[in-house]
Amino acid sequence: MMNTWLIASNNEGKSRDLITCLDYYGLTARQYLSRYPRLTFPTETTTSYSDNAVTKARFGAQQLGVPVIADDSGLEIPALPDLLGVTTARDLGVAVDGSDRNQAILAALCDVPSAQRRAVMRATLAAAWPDGRIVVVQAAVAGYIAQSQIGRYSGGFDRIFWLSRYGKTLAELPTTWRIPLTHRGQAALKLITKL
């Protein structure tokens, strides 16, 4: 296994979270921008998380000439079937920050009862090598959308993703508790076992 992997993403927040998850399980990673100039990745499709992650990983490995890890993830809310999923970032606007995205979701769910605010966060990770090898893993975590943004230990959707088993949002849980419960944390563990 390599000493340090590069994350093939221009999204600093997603890269930081993935780096934290991989590090939690003992794999060192850095955002590719720490070593290389910015790439313009191919436009994501709407077909699947797997296709998007593989496309980014293959492109990154070919352009940089080193092995990379790419992520595609999303939030799915059955009560908002046309708003979220594989196209979460595009639908909510990638130019707005996580707090604004969360507010848009909370506003869309304002009249939806708590029991109907089910949600799933999905993550697909793809590791790619310049020679064409690829490893793909997927993970998901189920929960509910909270009534408001809560928590300080993480950001983004973690601030509205409620785990009824714990009576808290993911962002209310310290890192050592949170990572094994997240979609990206579970995918990171699966990926490390296959590298």
Side-chain angles (χ1 to χ4, degrees), residues 89-123:
R90 290 182 296 283
D91 292 340
L92 294 176
V94 293
V96 298
D97 68 22
S99 178
D100 290 342
R101 291 181 194 159
N102 289 346
Q103 283 306 120
I105 292 169
L106 293 173
L109 289 171
C110 69
D111 294 327
V112 177
S114 295
Q116 295 174 19
R117 295 167 74 105
R118 291 185 330 269
V120 176
M121 285 201 289
R122 298 188 187 281

Side-chain angles (χ1 to χ4, degrees), residues 5-22:
W5 282 80
L6 296 182
I7 305 302
S9 174
N10 290 326
N11 182 321
E12 289 184 31
K14 188 181 280 192
S15 294
R16 189 172 38 253
D17 189 49
L18 180 53
I19 289 165
T20 300
C21 291
L22 292 166

Side-chain angles (χ1 to χ4, degrees), residues 8-180:
S9 174
N10 290 326
N11 182 321
E12 289 184 31
K14 188 181 280 192
S15 294
R16 189 172 38 253
D17 189 49
L18 180 53
I19 289 165
T20 300
C21 291
L22 292 166
D23 183 62
Y24 180 84
Y25 293 111
L27 184 75
T28 303
R30 301 283 175 262
Q31 189 177 23
Y32 85 93
L33 289 168
S34 67
R35 297 186 184 166
Y36 295 94
R38 186 180 191 85
L39 296 173
T40 302
F41 287 90
T43 302
E44 291 184 356
T45 67
T46 59
T47 56
S48 76
Y49 297 110
S50 183
D51 289 350
N52 291 337
V54 167
T55 297
K56 286 187 269 191
R58 281 194 173 133
F59 178 81
Q62 290 168 352
Q63 294 295 309
L64 302 174
V66 297
V68 301
I69 297 171
D71 163 292
D72 193 40
S73 55
L75 176 64
E76 299 173 0
I77 302 172
L80 304 174
D82 297 328
L83 181 59
L84 304 169
V86 177
T87 60
T88 299
R90 290 182 296 283
D91 292 340
L92 294 176
V94 293
V96 298
D97 68 22
S99 178
D100 290 342
R101 291 181 194 159
N102 289 346
Q103 283 306 120
I105 292 169
L106 293 173
L109 289 171
C110 69
D111 294 327
V112 177
S114 295
Q116 295 174 19
R117 295 167 74 105
R118 291 185 330 269
V120 176
M121 285 201 289
R122 298 188 187 281
T124 298
L125 300 181
W129 288 259
D131 65 9
R133 287 179 292 151
I134 193 129
V135 173
V136 180
V137 297
Q138 297 179 318
V141 61
Y144 292 85
I145 299 300
Q147 297 292 329
S148 63
Q149 297 189 65
I150 309 166
R152 62 181 175 87
Y153 291 107
S154 61
F157 296 137
D158 287 4
R159 298 193 70 226
I160 61 170
F161 198 84
W162 181 265
L163 297 174
S164 55
R165 176 179 171 191
Y166 296 92
K168 297 181 183 296
T169 65
L170 281 169
E172 291 181 279
L173 300 173
T175 301
T176 55
W177 293 7
R178 179 181 63 84
I179 288 176

